[in-house]
Amino acid sequence: MPLNRALYQDVREELLLTRQQIAARVRELGEQITRDYAGRELVMIGILKGAVTFFADLMREIDLSLTVDFMAISSYGSATKSSGVVRILKDLDHDIVDRHALVVEDIVDSGLTLSFLKENLLSRGAASIRVAALLDKPDRRKVDLRGDYIGFTIPDAFVVGYGLDYNQRYRNLPDIGVLKPEIYEE
Ligand code: 5GP
C-alpha cells in the first residue's frame, strides 16, 4: 500500500508518474549530464521549493565534481498559473562568473519563470547555462524556452507530488498525479 493513501484518494484524479518511473528517468538524466559535462566543474542551481525532490535525486545520479546553490523566487499570479513577473526572494550564496550552471526546476509551464532566470543568470557572467526540468508542459508555452534536460513531457493538467505543491501541500507525495480540478476550483 502506498504511503498517505487517504491523502491521495482525496486529491488525486489520476496517477501520472510512479516513483519507479521517476527514479529510472532521473538516473538517465544524471548519466546524460555526467557525459555532457565531463571534464568541467558544474554548479547546480536548485529553484526552491518545488525542485528540491528532483534536485536531491538528480545530484546523486551525477558522477562529477560539482557544487550546489539555491534560489527562491516568487511568481505573481494565481495558485495554478504564473504571470511571468518574478521576484527573487533568496539569491545565490556564491557568484557564478565563468561557471557552468545547471538550473534545476520542477516544471516548465508557460516558460516565463525560466526565461527570466536564464537571462538573469547570464547577466552575471556564467560561462554557460542549461536547464534541467523534471516535467514539461509544452502546450502552455508563452515564450520560446526549451529545457536542455527534460524528464517527462506531460499534458496540460495541474500536477502535484514529488516536490510539486498546491497551496504548499502535497509536496511529500512520492509520485506525481493530476490534482482533482474541484480542489482548486472551490
Ligand atoms: P512558468 O513560469 O513556466 O509558467 O511556471 C513555472 C512554475 O509554475 C513552476 O516552477 C511551478 O512552480 C509552477 N507550476 C506550473 N505548472 C504546475 C503544475 O502543474 N503543478 C504545480 N504544482 N506547479 C506548477
Side-chain angles (χ1 to χ4, degrees):
M1 284 296 122
L3 224 67
N4 298 325
R5 197 150 178 257
L7 188 60
Y8 282 112
Q9 284 169 346
D10 286 350
V11 301
R12 195 168 68 191
E13 177 149 281
E14 182 197 343
L15 170 65
L16 208 58
L17 296 164
T18 65
R19 57 203 300 182
Q20 290 82 5
Q21 286 173 301
I22 298 168
R25 185 68 185 125
V26 171
R27 192 167 314 125
E28 287 174 356
L29 291 177
E31 285 166 3
Q32 198 185 340
I33 292 165
T34 302
R35 282 194 302 274
D36 291 357
Y37 284 90
R40 285 184 284 177
E41 166 100 11
L42 186 63
V43 53
M44 288 178 71
I45 298 176
I47 308 304
L48 300 171
K49 302 168 188 155
V52 290
T53 322
F54 176 45
F55 187 96
D57 285 345
L58 182 64
M59 68 186 277
R60 287 176 288 179
E61 301 293 349
I62 299 177
D63 187 10
L64 293 171
S65 167
L66 60 80
T67 61
V68 305
D69 210 336
F70 294 92
M71 279 178 89
I73 55 174
S74 91
S75 161
Y76 295 101
S78 70
T80 58
K81 279 193 192 88
S82 85
S83 65
V85 182
V86 176
R87 193 160 55 103
I88 296 176
L89 301 178
K90 183 221 168 290
D91 209 344
L92 298 174
D93 290 337
H94 306 282
D95 81 55
I96 53 165
V97 176
D98 296 334
R99 303 291 310 273
H100 295 287
L102 180 65
V103 179
V104 180
E105 186 46 310
D106 49 4
I107 182 165
V108 194
D109 187 24
S110 67
L112 293 166
T113 305
L114 271 171
S115 66
F116 165 86
L117 276 173
K118 268 185 100 167
E119 220 163 280
N120 180 285
L121 295 174
L122 263 179
S123 73
R124 306 182 195 203
S128 70
I129 294 177
R130 287 188 186 174
V131 169
L134 180 68
L135 304 173
D136 186 13
K137 288 199 268 193
D139 294 348
R140 290 176 41 96
R141 203 69 95 251
K142 289 198 183 134
V143 288
D144 182 22
L145 188 286
R146 254 157 297 185
D148 301 281
Y149 304 98
I150 296 293
F152 301 92
T153 298
I154 62 166
D156 177 8
F158 193 79
V159 295
V160 293
Y162 194 73
L164 288 149
D165 74 311
Y166 171 66
N167 274 351
Q168 302 303 324
R169 295 219 172 77
Y170 316 120
R171 296 190 195 275
N172 59 323
L173 302 183
D175 44 29
I176 293 175
V178 176
L179 189 70
K180 285 181 180 168
E182 60 259 36
I183 304 271
Y184 53 84
E185 280 163 5
E186 266 166 14

